[in-house]
Amino acid sequence: MTRQTNRRQFLAGASALVAAPAILRATRVYAETPTLKIGYVSPATGPLAGFGEADDYIIEGINKALAGGIENNGKTWMIEIIKRDSQSNPNRAAEVASQLILEEEVDILTGAATPDTTNPVADQAELNGTPCITTDCPWQPYFFGRGGNPEKPFEWTYHFFWGLEDVIANFTALWDQAGVAKTVGGLFPNDADGNAWGDPKVGFPGPLAEKGFKLIDPGRYEPLNNDFSAYINAFKEGGAEIVTGVMIPPDFGTFWAQAGQQGFKPKVVTIGKALLFPSAVEGLGDRGVGLTSEIWWSPNHPFKSSITGESCKQLADGYTAATGKPWTQPIGFRHALFEVVADVVKRCADVEDPAALVEAIKTTSLPTMVGKIDWATGPVPNVSKTPLVAGQWQKPADKLELVITTNPQAPDIPVGGQLQLLS
């Protein structure tokens, strides 16, 4: 059986390999309101739950916007989004992705939020010949972390997000702006993100050295670590005035509390992943003010939805009004994920043919809530890059705000303030 074989044939059993596709096709074509199933996997619970905090709001909005269906080749198709929780666990992500493919028989599989979800979801799609679109994970951990080869692309799986080269460029621009000593303490966990960020070839070490920074890297720590004393001592002894890395919120909370207890006072702390979400930073109290992070999306980004026409600010304001919560960065990317799905369905030559859906994904060229998605532009097959800036959690009045303070790679995204040192 080749990958081109429809998975529904497989499920129907070997004895029905010829008859099953015709029966299934007839059932959907002549149905009054045929439906396409979209599987969606993200972490609604566990230490990465902040990435999925806005999922229900976004899916509700997409369902409302697409309530009348999507026109394809003169026929209207309804869209059903089936959501599953990865529980912040790669094994669980693979399990529910497999269930969506083999039991729910989804037509397109989607997933979001760090390699712990995107990679096992994409691997299941590739294994089962299911069109798949993912986001919210730097492209190197997604592509190379799955054994990707630019000379031999994946067949079924496509991803959009920024890369480590973008986060490195933004972080170093932020630190140059700060004017502090170029000694950096690195906090890289023993997981897909940490191993990529700390990798000598694709991660931080090489570029930092080229830009004149000294990196103090005491080695990988296990996620949910409860003692960062060895790292803190190494940073203090090495004179680190900058701390960087990619951490889940609980780990950063532990590190930052112990740093304060042990008298370690860096002037700039720039951490990926852990400092993305207002709830995580607010939980740090006054010690959250002044921390810095990458910014993938904000209300000030100059983009709009291809489905609703909403601006970034309108989407963020709508979320806050509906939930009473501050905007959070994944909002834009979740919305964009379903923008791409809707566009693929509109353009596909035959929405019941998985290969045709993949061809429509490959030929996407769509302005979205997070910028233009176009897989023809690389940097490797299966990946489309989105813009990235960086900024700081500041408290100009009575509430924390994430302020864009540097934009070297995306000058069309406006800067909103200047970097302030921690000490």
Side-chain angles (χ1 to χ4, degrees):
M1 188 182 299
T2 67
R3 287 186 178 181
Q4 295 297 329
T5 304
N6 192 314
R7 62 189 176 281
R8 296 182 180 84
Q9 294 173 302
F10 173 81
L11 291 169
S15 63
L17 283 176
V18 175
I23 292 171
L24 287 163
R25 176 177 289 272
T27 300
R28 294 216 294 188
V29 166
Y30 293 107
E32 187 174 343
T33 55
T35 299
L36 291 173
K37 292 184 177 182
I38 312 301
Y40 173 62
V41 183
S42 80
T45 58
L48 299 174
F51 283 89
E53 183 179 2
D55 283 356
D56 289 343
Y57 174 80
I58 293 299
I59 291 173
E60 181 181 349
I62 292 294
N63 283 337
K64 182 177 179 181
L66 301 181
I70 297 176
E71 293 290 327
N72 173 276
N73 294 322
K75 190 173 185 66
T76 299
W77 290 82
M78 306 308 291
I79 301 298
E80 179 185 3
I81 300 171
I82 306 173
K83 177 189 170 188
R84 294 290 183 267
D85 178 13
S86 72
Q87 300 176 359
S88 304
N89 184 301
N91 294 328
R92 175 64 178 175
E95 179 184 352
V96 296
S98 177
Q99 290 170 355
L100 286 167
I101 294 168
L102 299 177
E103 297 175 16
E104 298 289 350
E105 298 185 55
V106 296
D107 297 279
I108 300 174
L109 184 64
T110 65
T114 86
D116 287 339
T117 296
T118 60
N119 290 17
V121 166
D123 285 344
Q124 287 297 312
E126 195 73 23
L127 178 66
N128 289 285
T130 303
C132 179
I133 307 166
T134 53
T135 190
D136 289 13
C137 165
W139 71 261
Q140 289 94 337
Y142 164 85
F143 188 79
F144 295 118
R146 298 176 53 224
N149 181 350
E151 302 301 318
K152 190 178 180 181
F154 296 112
E155 288 187 58
W156 298 95
T157 51
Y158 291 81
H159 184 78
F160 64 92
F161 209 53
W162 41 265
L164 296 182
E165 70 278 19
D166 304 307
V167 78
I168 292 167
N170 276 279
F171 281 13
T172 53
L174 195 73
W175 303 336
D176 282 336
Q177 186 183 83
V180 300
K182 291 190 169 186
T183 305
V184 183
L187 291 165
F188 305 116
N190 185 24
D191 62 14
D193 261 336
N195 290 327
W197 286 50
D199 184 86
K201 293 182 179 179
V202 302
F204 274 67
L208 289 191
E210 291 173 6
K211 294 175 180 290
F213 289 88
K214 176 186 176 183
L215 176 64
I216 302 169
D217 182 0
R220 306 296 163 263
Y221 67 86
E222 293 303 316
L224 297 176
N225 186 31
N226 61 12
D227 186 2
F228 285 93
S229 297
Y231 295 81
I232 293 167
N233 287 336
F235 298 162
K236 289 168 70 174
E237 291 173 5
E241 293 193 353
I242 302 167
V243 173
T244 195
V246 56
M247 310 178 77
I248 58 175
D251 280 341
F252 179 76
T254 300
F255 164 78
W256 198 223
Q258 292 176 356
Q261 292 163 3
Q262 298 175 32
F264 176 49
K265 298 180 180 180
K267 295 181 178 178
V268 182
V269 174
T270 311
I271 300 292
K273 191 154 59 178
L275 303 180
L276 297 173
F277 310 115
S279 56
V281 179
E282 287 169 354
L284 300 171
D286 289 342
R287 284 176 58 76
V289 179
L291 299 174
T292 50
S293 178
E294 78 275 22
I295 301 176
W296 339 326
W297 182 87
S298 79
N300 296 317
H301 278 48
F303 308 125
K304 66 179 182 179
S305 168
S306 61
I307 294 177
T308 66
E310 288 177 292
S311 67
C312 293
K313 187 175 189 309
Q314 287 172 324
L315 182 64
D317 288 348
Y319 173 74
T320 298
T323 66
K325 299 177 180 179
W327 64 270
T328 182
Q329 295 191 46
I331 290 175
F333 278 82
R334 294 303 183 280
H335 186 93
L337 186 61
F338 295 110
E339 287 184 73
V340 175
V341 168
D343 180 67
V344 165
V345 172
K346 287 177 186 176
R347 294 183 295 102
C348 185
D350 181 356
V351 293
E352 293 186 280
D353 179 3
L357 285 167
V358 166
E359 185 60 29
I361 294 171
K362 287 168 61 176
T363 55
T364 296
S365 181
L366 181 70
T368 73
M369 185 66 75
V370 299
K372 189 174 184 180
I373 309 300
D374 185 345
W375 277 282
T377 60
V380 295
N382 310 101
V383 169
S384 175
K385 287 219 304 181
T386 54
L388 184 70
V389 294
Q392 185 172 45
W393 288 98
Q394 299 181 355
K395 197 171 185 180
D398 60 345
K399 65 177 182 178
L400 278 170
E401 295 181 15
L402 183 56
V403 178
I404 297 170
T405 60
T406 188
N407 62 352
Q409 293 189 304
D412 57 324
I413 299 173
V415 168
Q418 292 186 334
L419 180 71
Q420 302 166 8
L421 297 182
L422 289 171
S423 57

